[in-house]
Amino acid sequence: MTTEPKDPSDADLVTRARAGDVSAFGALIRRYQPSALRLAAAISGSVDDAADIAQEAFVKAHRSLPTLSDPTIVKSWMLRIVANEAKNHVRGRNRRRRRDERYGSWAVVAAADPEATAVTADDAHRLSLALGAIKASDRQVLAYRYFAGLSEIETAAAVGVALGTVKSRTARALVKLRAELEKP
């Protein structure tokens, strides 16, 4: 009787990565990259920037791996780094936008490709605008819960608030998001 190989736990991968096993950290990245990309896109409001944000966050996570106190929470720890990187990206983008408004911009805007516009792109754009219209704390909890796929407990750990706060913020944020999406 043969048994199928079991995927290593997060704690095992962290232990191996701390010992210098690059493939172990790569396995963690592959495991959480889809959640990281969704989270980065939701917080930054840009699907195009999500990969760069996640990449930078993973580099920072790798450097900070020795400081991770509990290897069993590596998912929420890594996604917190992604969220912080996305928030930093938004702040930088806002500073650049204000600077460009004040002093002018040298950026050249490419013409829109008519073939690139599709219903899904329109829906994603509407969702992005609606997310941008709600408070950052509400957007953050929705991003963790629905875009990164964290449980309520994991979201509470990642955000650093009580479980009840996550539940109430999620409910409030969904009501606000629904209202934004229903606007013409």
Side-chain angles (χ1 to χ4, degrees), residues 34-53:
S35 296
L37 291 171
R38 288 190 303 269
L39 180 64
I43 291 176
S44 71
S46 172
V47 173
D48 296 332
D49 294 338
D52 291 337
I53 292 167

Side-chain angles (χ1 to χ4, degrees), residues 1 12 25 61 67 75 92 101-102 105 108 111 131 133 135 168 179:
M1 180 172 169
D12 292 338
F25 192 74
T67 66
K75 180 181 181 181
E101 287 171 357
R102 180 177 289 166
S105 172
V108 177
L131 282 167
K135 286 184 354 183
S168 63

Side-chain angles (χ1 to χ4, degrees), residues 42-43 130-147 155 159 165-177:
I43 291 176
L131 282 167
I134 64 176
K135 286 184 354 183
S137 60
D138 291 339
R139 184 171 54 247
Q140 181 183 34
V141 78
L142 289 180
Y144 277 122
R145 287 284 293 125
Y146 299 107
F147 293 93
T155 299
V159 177
T165 303
V166 167
K167 289 179 178 185
S168 63
R169 279 188 191 172
T170 301
R172 182 177 57 243
L174 286 172
V175 168
K176 290 177 183 177
L177 183 62

Side-chain angles (χ1 to χ4, degrees), residues 5-161:
K6 182 181 168 193
D7 285 337
S9 70
D10 287 351
D12 292 338
L13 291 172
V14 168
T15 302
R16 288 177 32 208
R18 284 179 172 166
D21 184 351
V22 178
S23 66
F25 192 74
L28 284 170
I29 290 174
R30 283 187 299 283
R31 189 173 283 179
Y32 298 119
Q33 189 169 29
S35 296
L37 291 171
R38 288 190 303 269
L39 180 64
I43 291 176
S44 71
S46 172
V47 173
D48 296 332
D49 294 338
D52 291 337
I53 292 167
Q55 175 73 22
E56 185 63 31
F58 287 140
V59 168
K60 288 181 178 182
H62 187 264
R63 286 186 197 134
S64 301
L65 202 55
T67 66
L68 178 61
S69 60
D70 182 1
T72 63
I73 63 162
V74 70
K75 180 181 181 181
S76 58
W77 176 78
M78 287 178 90
L79 292 176
R80 182 184 293 192
I81 294 170
V82 171
N84 288 338
E85 192 63 30
K87 287 186 264 184
N88 290 341
H89 178 80
V90 169
R91 280 193 291 273
R93 184 178 59 211
N94 290 341
R95 279 192 303 272
R96 286 187 298 278
R97 183 181 40 79
R98 285 191 306 271
R99 182 197 62 220
D100 290 347
E101 287 171 357
R102 180 177 289 166
Y103 301 112
S105 172
W106 289 86
V108 177
V109 178
D113 178 14
E115 294 177 22
T117 51
V119 174
T120 55
D122 290 340
D123 290 343
H125 182 70
R126 284 188 63 235
L127 179 59
S128 179
L129 290 175
L131 282 167
I134 64 176
K135 286 184 354 183
S137 60
D138 291 339
R139 184 171 54 247
Q140 181 183 34
V141 78
L142 289 180
Y144 277 122
R145 287 284 293 125
Y146 299 107
F147 293 93
L150 266 62
S151 68
E152 288 177 331
I153 294 170
E154 291 171 323
T155 299
V159 177
V161 297

